[in-house]
Amino acid sequence: MFHQPSKYLYLAAFSLLAPAWVTGQDKPAAGQPQYKDPGEFTLYDSILKDTTPKTRLEKLQEWQTKYASTEFEKQREQLFLDTYIKLNEPKEAVAEAKQILADNPKDFTSLYYTMYFTRALAGDKPTPDVLDQGEKAAAAIVANIDTPPPNVTADQWKGARTPVEALGHSTLGWIAMQRENWDAAEAEFQKSLALDANNGELDYFMGTVLASEKRREKLSAALFYFARAASYDGAGGLTSAGRQQVLDYVKRAYEGYHGSDEGFDQLLATAKAQTAPAGGYFLSANETKVQEAYDAEDAKNPQLNLWKNLKASLTGADGANYFEMGMKGALLPPLKGKVVKLEPEIKPKTVVLALEDGTTPDATLKFEMPLAGKVDPGTELSFEGVADSYTTSPFMVVFNVDPDKLHGWTGKNAPRPPVHKKTTASN
């Protein structure tokens, strides 16, 4: 849930230049907007006094029809914006804000509500235009956050600034998340949570971007933020139904990541009590064993230990979730195996390896461009690949591999068969 607008934000929408007659003068003072006739005065005055958004909108539309040209155009635009905001009509409000920003790119109210309504306008399939305008508005708000908006005092701004700034970073993070720019989204959500740590929706978003980065060292932190979204029930938390939905998900993810539910209740309790993972991350027992095996100086075959641990997780009860959370799209540490098959046999784009026992195929390497020549079955290769898919029966993991991440390939371009020229028999 994103932050609601502060009461001080509405002050900017009422920073309208009152016509002279409202202050009791018989005629507008020099330099102020001039009304065309008493009818415009009467209509404008009734709009200013109308506290019902629906009827005020009707009067504004009447004013616009009867007086298409007016010296109070800026005031009318602000009144339209304020009315659409109160009617909770995002599309109309942002369209009006665009007109105001065309003349005054720094108008705080227009920038704020363009930012505020970004998600409502975006819906399930945000267009680039909606994301761009939301990003521009949020960036402008954050860049000028030290300056109070017009007609807001410094003391008032002290009370209103934090939720506005948090919303700015939240919006920038959400936009980056839609663009799958995970690093930028993580950075913005961190800034927002630093300002308001008790926000269940942002915890869920943070878990989502950390998991989507496909970096094994961040998966435990992703589980923490999912667990906090599921367990925190104070002000700013998700609804009961929302927490239950996240709880069901994170429990499955945790079991897939750790191999069991051991320690899950402790994770929930810790996530509910603290706002960020202590020490950075919660390491799984499997991950710790893998890392220890890989880093140990006396380990005889760290690649094999890594592969066996990965296989155990992938063939476990929640292997599919483990793959989605921890492997798919991630560049894994170096692995090593022996060639079983090349497809095609010369200049292959697919290499099938046996990693565990040297004979049973269990890894398939895919290349965009053909490799040079060929190598013999049994040739030992090492590689760093991005996991793409897997099956459990028979067990096989498919990797996308860049040629420069393949080591041990000694194939040469196969020579062309000799061309025999036909000889012409002499008479």
Side-chain angles (χ1 to χ4, degrees), residues 373-390:
K374 60 176 290 187
V375 296
D376 295 328
T379 299
E380 189 171 78
L381 303 175
S382 64
F383 69 94
E384 298 167 65
V386 175
D388 181 68
S389 62
Y390 87 105

Side-chain angles (χ1 to χ4, degrees), residues 293-335:
Y294 185 72
D295 290 339
E297 293 182 2
D298 60 347
K300 294 181 180 180
N301 194 336
Q303 290 98 337
L304 181 59
N305 288 334
L306 171 60
W307 183 245
K308 286 182 176 180
N309 277 279
L310 291 174
K311 182 177 180 180
S313 297
L314 292 174
T315 55
D318 205 12
N321 192 60
Y322 177 86
F323 182 78
E324 290 294 326
M325 284 283 293
M327 285 185 63
K328 188 174 182 180
L331 179 66
L332 270 63
L335 295 166

